[in-house]
Amino acid sequence: MTQKPSGDAAESLLAKKRRARKINKVLGEFYPYAHPELDFRDPFELLVATVLSAQTTDVRVNQITPALFARYPGPLEMAQAELPDLETFIQPTGFFRAKAKNLVALATRLVDHYDGTVPASVDELVTLAGVGRKTANVVLGNAFGIPGITVDTHFGRLARRFEWTGSDDPVVVEREVGELVERKEWTMLSHRVVFHGRRVCHSRKPACGACVVAQWCPSYGMGETDPVKAAKLLKYELAPGQEALREAYLAQTENAADIRMASQRALASGGRP
């Protein structure tokens, strides 16, 4: 039976760093295929997709972006978009009127101030409509290879459960977690933690009994600890019946995004992944 860490309130910074880096290492071994789950071909597409992902799922965004980018392939085309037309493409993502206004304003600023090129710094990215530090770090880490910690709902939840931070403020979470893990690991740490949050460490009922980092987690026991019952709570490629999908990911980690896209298309068309 997995034992919960002592949760000593006096855990030293060094001990916390060692624990955080161990969790990162084990998650990296368990999810060698972790990757951004928004589909994109260039920095502009990733920027737009990330803005659209607010208050919706990556799967939903991925369903609408192919048609969106066929119609508006770059900043100039999107800056010239008529709002009602743009809204029809992005309506399934929710809050589509506000998002459409942000996208047109964002694209206009890219054209007017950056020659239609997505800038590669946090300070510049956050001047764009609808872009905060989370979106900026997603773009920097995945489109430009600049390390960044992406504090979304999943990352923040797990960071608090791991007691890497006690804050709900994304900026504080980013800073405090960044002090625990090497900078070069920040982008992949973000993917691994988000993967784990979506698949295992759920908001309402985490699958503690099926968690590969349970022995280093001070919050072990807040969810289902029975291994058999916990296994039934797993999602995506870890869910019962999805063994073939996980095997495909493990066999072709470099092609994980393509495998995921094909799986999602099959599900959307009523088939099996």
Side-chain angles (χ1 to χ4, degrees), residues 7-260:
D8 185 354
E11 180 182 33
S12 69
L13 178 59
L14 178 58
K16 185 178 291 188
K17 282 185 177 180
R18 287 173 173 167
R19 186 167 58 82
R21 294 179 184 192
K22 182 63 176 181
I23 289 174
N24 179 46
K25 180 176 183 293
V26 173
L27 290 179
E29 293 169 348
F30 192 71
Y31 302 110
Y33 49 81
H35 62 279
E37 294 185 278
L38 286 170
D39 302 335
F40 68 98
R41 294 171 297 185
D42 56 45
F44 177 69
E45 289 192 358
L46 179 57
L47 178 62
V48 170
T50 308
V51 169
L52 290 175
S53 70
Q55 305 299 315
T56 190
T57 65
D58 289 354
V59 172
R60 180 61 56 86
V61 174
N62 291 338
Q63 290 172 341
I64 66 99
T65 47
L68 176 69
F69 294 133
R71 177 67 178 84
Y72 308 107
L76 180 59
E77 293 82 3
M78 191 163 285
Q80 297 172 338
E82 297 290 336
L83 282 176
D85 294 336
L86 179 56
E87 289 170 0
T88 62
F89 285 94
I90 68 173
Q91 185 171 358
T93 69
F95 303 96
F96 60 93
R97 291 188 176 88
K99 289 179 180 179
K101 291 178 181 178
N102 282 337
L103 290 180
V104 170
L106 173 158
T108 299
R109 183 168 177 81
L110 289 179
V111 171
D112 291 346
H113 295 272
Y114 299 104
D115 296 323
T117 301
V118 176
S121 77
V122 169
D123 290 343
E124 291 174 308
L125 284 167
V126 296
T127 67
L128 303 174
V131 177
R133 288 190 65 88
K134 184 197 84 169
T135 296
N137 280 326
V138 168
V139 173
L140 292 177
N142 298 288
F144 295 108
I146 300 172
I149 294 174
T150 302
V151 183
D152 70 354
T153 301
H154 301 288
F155 191 97
R157 179 176 73 252
L158 269 65
R160 287 184 289 275
R161 286 180 178 174
F162 291 151
E163 294 186 4
W164 292 348
T165 181
S167 178
D168 291 321
D169 184 333
V171 176
V172 175
V173 174
E174 180 185 340
R175 184 185 72 246
E176 292 186 345
V177 175
E179 293 173 351
L180 302 177
V181 179
E182 306 96 319
R183 184 174 185 272
K184 65 180 181 180
E185 289 289 306
W186 287 355
T187 299
M188 287 308 301
L189 171 71
S190 300
H191 293 323
R192 293 161 185 160
V193 170
V194 169
F195 258 57
H196 198 60
R198 287 174 171 166
R199 289 152 177 78
V200 180
C201 196
H202 313 308
S203 176
R204 295 185 179 179
K205 194 171 185 180
C208 293
C211 177
V212 295
V213 296
Q215 70 185 92
W216 301 284
C217 179
S219 300
Y220 173 79
M222 72 179 301
E224 179 58 66
T225 58
D226 180 85
V228 175
K229 293 179 180 179
K232 296 178 181 179
L233 301 175
L234 301 178
K235 296 182 179 180
Y236 300 99
E237 77 281 358
L238 301 184
Q242 297 298 312
E243 292 81 6
L245 181 57
R246 177 162 164 81
E247 289 175 5
Y249 280 156
L250 292 172
Q252 302 182 61
T253 57
E254 70 282 1
N255 297 321
D258 293 334
I259 295 170
R260 175 186 49 75

